Amino acid sequence: PAGLDRIHLFLNPELQNLTLEIGGRFPQLSTFLTDLSLRTRLASLSIASPTSLPDDFPELLAPQTELEKVALMAPGALSPGVGKWASELARLRSLQVDLTGRSPTAVEGFFDEIEVVRSGYSTPSSPGSPDSGVFSGEDIDFTDIKRSTLRLTEERGPLMGAFMAL
């Protein structure tokens, strides 16, 4: 964090990609993210931190509307507010969040505030959803998830309004 005083030399609209790896406590993270959002138009943002993202993270990064790739490896990355913010990024093509040690309920929480037009479901446990949202075993079987997604999109058409380019 002490070395970030010099980063202001590089924060400008020409900067497209930023990887921020925080090794410890960083009390000025909110201030840094505010400055970052006001000075840049990023296409890619990656944040890895053992400490939590600020509670107002989605508001701080609201000006970053051009993001195509987001990677968040920090506590708080699965919050409903972060999920809503990410879902509204029209150009987002790649999203990476750390699910290590997270319960299915915590993962579902990421989708709680996402509004999807015409889908009828915001999470697998939403009322009426054909997906139980319960995963069995230690590993997630992505085959079943892909089938479930295909079934939903075939029956109701493409999901509109959330993660459009993802």
Side-chain angles (χ1 to χ4, degrees):
L4 284 178
D5 290 339
R6 293 179 283 269
I7 197 167
H8 298 289
L9 298 169
F10 303 100
L11 295 182
N12 61 65
E14 303 301 316
L15 182 66
Q16 293 189 1
N17 306 306
L18 179 70
T19 299
L20 183 63
E21 294 182 17
I22 303 168
R25 204 167 160 266
F26 184 17
Q28 308 88 352
L29 184 57
S30 289
T31 304
F32 172 76
L33 292 173
T34 299
D35 195 31
L36 172 76
S37 284
L38 294 174
R39 293 178 181 228
T40 64
R41 293 290 169 250
L42 298 174
S44 172
L45 174 66
S46 175
I47 298 176
S49 173
T51 60
S52 293
L53 295 174
D55 291 337
D56 57 350
F57 180 82
E59 291 82 21
L60 296 174
L61 290 176
Q64 295 296 326
T65 58
E66 304 298 314
L67 284 166
E68 296 176 12
K69 181 178 181 185
V70 173
L72 300 173
M73 305 302 150
L78 290 178
S79 75
V82 172
K84 180 174 175 47
W85 167 76
S87 75
E88 294 171 350
L89 295 170
R91 296 181 179 211
L92 189 66
R93 293 182 297 125
S94 173
L95 175 64
Q96 182 181 2
V97 290
D98 184 12
L99 302 180
T100 305
R102 306 287 190 243
S103 70
T105 304
V107 175
E108 281 188 6
F110 182 80
F111 301 96
D112 281 350
E113 293 182 14
I114 297 174
E115 297 177 21
V116 179
V117 178
R118 295 186 303 145
S119 78
Y121 312 115
S122 59
T123 68
S125 63
S126 294
S129 173
D131 188 343
S132 69
V134 178
F135 300 108
S136 60
E138 295 273 322
D139 296 325
I140 296 173
D141 182 0
F142 288 102
T143 305
D144 290 341
I145 293 170
K146 288 178 183 176
R147 283 187 196 133
S148 176
T149 302
L150 284 172
R151 186 178 68 244
L152 285 173
T153 56
E154 286 173 356
E155 291 174 2
R156 290 164 188 81
L159 301 176
M160 305 300 289
F163 300 110
M164 295 292 292
L166 189 59

